[in-house]
Amino acid sequence: MRQSALNPEHLPAPAPILPSVPLRSLLFQLKDIELVVQSADTFSPPQTVEQHTLLVFTGGRGGLCIKEQPSLPVIADKCCLLAPGTSYSTDTREMTLYYYVISFAAVMSGDSHAPYIDELLPGRKELIVHPFTRVIRLAEELLASHNSGNEIQHFRQQLRFQELLLLLFEHNYSTRQLRSPAQSVESTIHFLEDHYMESITVKQLSELAGVSPWQYTPIFKKLTGKRPLDYLTDLRIGHSKNYLLESAEPLREIARLVGFSDEYYFSRRFRQKTGVTPGQYAQGQQRKVTVKDWTGHEVDIPERPKRIVYHGETLGDVLALGVKPAGGDEAFARNSVYKHRVKNLANVGFPLDPQLTRLISPDLIIIANSDERAYTRVSGIAPTLTFDSFAPLEQRMRILGEWLGKQHEAEAWLEAYHAKNAAMWQRLYAEVLQPGETASALFYDHGSRLFAMGMTGLSTALYAPGGLQPTAEIKDILDQGLGFREVDPAALHSYAGDRVFMLIPEREDSREAMEQLLQTPLWNSLPAVQQGRAYLLDGAKWNSGDALTRERLLTLLPRLLGGQALPESR
């Protein structure tokens, strides 16, 4: 807990820096809004805004660099306000970054209607709002009604925008207020509201007010109805409620943020004040929606879940939406393309361990398993949904978007992905591939058993719209909706396409079986092998159809099919 540097210089506070004109003299009009999806580990080029611009970050993690200033860390539930002429760029860390870019004009009221281009909140770039869900809902509504040709709808959109500005100004706009001697104790109340997270004693407050301790407490109680330290505790509990509802931070971090020495004391005081534990409060206060899962359960889940356990092989789907799960199976992520983004993922084992899951205190559990027994083992811990991780990418992303309150992010990611995927295949067919070329993805597992991939893994990227074609045998696998099929090595010629992708297995016995096949006349007689169109890929890294792996394959496949060396692909 931070130590307060209380001294008389804190009162009165320095006069805030205000806009050059009062708010009442300005008129505001929404100009444009878009939802930006920025892939992980990328940098956006610097751009200069022509209008006042609000950036609303809804998912992921990254940095915002404004002009020559140091990068400002940004995560979900943050927003920044930029004045016209400001240059900025963004970079992403670990996860895809999602943010709304809302541009608007400010003009002087009266006869001139001259544009106002100075800062609306001088010295403030990052804005504070609680609860942030109101900002997100308003941004979503603005985007949904954008470019509507309906005049009434356009007018309604402007009113929503005014509501959004009002919310921001209420929380961030300061006014000058002169302090009189009679307001000494009241000034310390304002000080408490601004510094509740610091270590504060009644003696320090009385010194700030310039009155004796025995006078200070009665005056304070007359003004507030509470003793000073009770008032301070209530402030901390009140702010902790916002964090519990709007943040995915662990309990110990929330306790620290609001000024409690540790999570155990925080939990005890929270229960004394509210009658429930922090976890019970969070679950009880969240708005709920009813959804149906893969196997038909109708479940009431939080409208915007914060602590998610995702147990399945397509963890990259969740990360692509800018959501970082609190728990999952580390075996699925250990050798994946996104392993560096889930270093702090709490492992819940394989199969899913109910005891490990309970320790995470999730508010939503998603399991890629249709076994009702597995569902029953964890459904009593938190709302639980079964998920078909073998479903097509578009279906998975839209379902997760609905469940996680990320519908707009899901649509934006899919739109960006499909555009990049189409451009990649068009370029490959123009420069490298011939129309109608076929491909097959093969792998060994369970010892010396050979399989051809169908509806899952790498093949989902190979047979994407505009991509390579399956062989007749593999098309039969796809038509039957199968994830894979065991192949008799003697029939390898009928499965192998013009290009063959052999996935290197993790199991040692399966790897030995693969290496033996690669030395045989059968393998070396395949046209793809003879023409140098057989590729070896790390199966643990690339044999996945999740969103992030699919996204990375857009970079890998052109290099691979173009014959470039790929040290990272092995």
Side-chain angles (χ1 to χ4, degrees), residues 297-508:
H297 304 103
E298 290 192 354
V299 185
D300 291 335
I301 67 171
E303 184 180 41
R304 292 185 178 275
K306 292 294 182 182
R307 295 188 58 76
I308 301 160
V309 167
Y310 181 88
H311 195 268
E313 56 275 278
T314 55
L315 181 62
D317 292 348
V318 181
L319 294 170
L321 291 175
V323 176
K324 189 171 183 179
D329 176 19
E330 66 175 9
F332 287 133
R334 185 167 52 240
N335 297 310
S336 67
V337 300
Y338 49 80
K339 62 182 180 181
H340 61 291
R341 302 177 194 169
V342 289
K343 291 180 180 178
N344 298 321
L345 183 75
N347 185 30
V348 295
F350 185 83
L352 189 147
D353 186 322
Q355 290 184 326
L356 294 176
T357 304
R358 194 181 300 275
L359 291 174
I360 298 172
S361 300
D363 57 5
L364 179 64
I365 301 171
I366 301 174
I367 56 173
N369 194 335
S370 60
D371 186 345
E372 189 65 22
R373 292 171 298 178
Y375 181 88
T376 302
R377 283 195 293 270
V378 296
S379 60
I381 299 173
T384 302
L385 299 168
T386 59
F387 180 65
D388 183 7
S389 58
F390 287 173
L393 176 65
E394 292 82 358
Q395 182 179 332
R396 297 199 314 267
M397 294 296 281
R398 289 188 172 113
I399 289 173
L400 289 173
E402 177 191 357
W403 292 353
L404 304 180
K406 298 287 184 178
Q407 293 95 328
H408 289 292
E409 287 83 349
E411 293 301 330
W413 187 92
L414 287 169
E415 181 180 356
Y417 171 79
H418 287 315
K420 289 185 287 188
N421 181 69
M424 178 197 72
W425 286 115
Q426 287 174 5
R427 186 169 66 253
L428 282 172
Y429 274 105
E431 300 173 358
V432 178
L433 302 176
Q434 298 298 318
E437 280 197 43
T438 60
S440 53
L442 307 170
F443 75 102
Y444 273 93
D445 202 3
H446 302 293
S448 59
R449 299 173 65 183
L450 179 63
F451 296 85
M453 301 301 301
M455 298 287 292
T456 62
L458 175 66
S459 62
T460 60
L462 299 178
Y463 310 138
L468 295 161
Q469 300 300 310
T471 64
E473 294 287 351
I474 293 179
K475 186 175 186 304
D476 183 60
I477 300 174
L478 297 172
D479 289 344
Q480 294 185 45
L482 300 176
F484 46 82
R485 175 189 289 168
E486 187 168 3
V487 175
D488 182 350
L492 186 57
H493 271 271
S494 63
Y495 281 88
D498 298 319
R499 297 178 186 268
V500 175
F501 298 80
M502 177 63 78
L503 297 153
I504 305 171
E506 286 188 90
R507 287 177 51 141
E508 185 175 348

Side-chain angles (χ1 to χ4, degrees), residues 63 135 153 174 177 185 227 235 244 306 343 404 478 519:
V135 176
Q153 186 68 17
S174 300
Q177 291 187 2
V185 174
R227 298 174 65 84
L235 275 175
L244 287 167
K306 292 294 182 182
K343 291 180 180 178
L404 304 180
L478 297 172
Q519 302 303 318

Side-chain angles (χ1 to χ4, degrees), residues 166-185:
L166 175 61
L167 183 63
L168 296 173
F169 288 143
E170 282 179 336
H171 285 79
N172 297 276
Y173 188 81
S174 300
T175 58
R176 291 187 180 92
Q177 291 187 2
L178 298 177
R179 174 177 169 266
S180 67
Q183 295 175 311
S184 294
V185 174

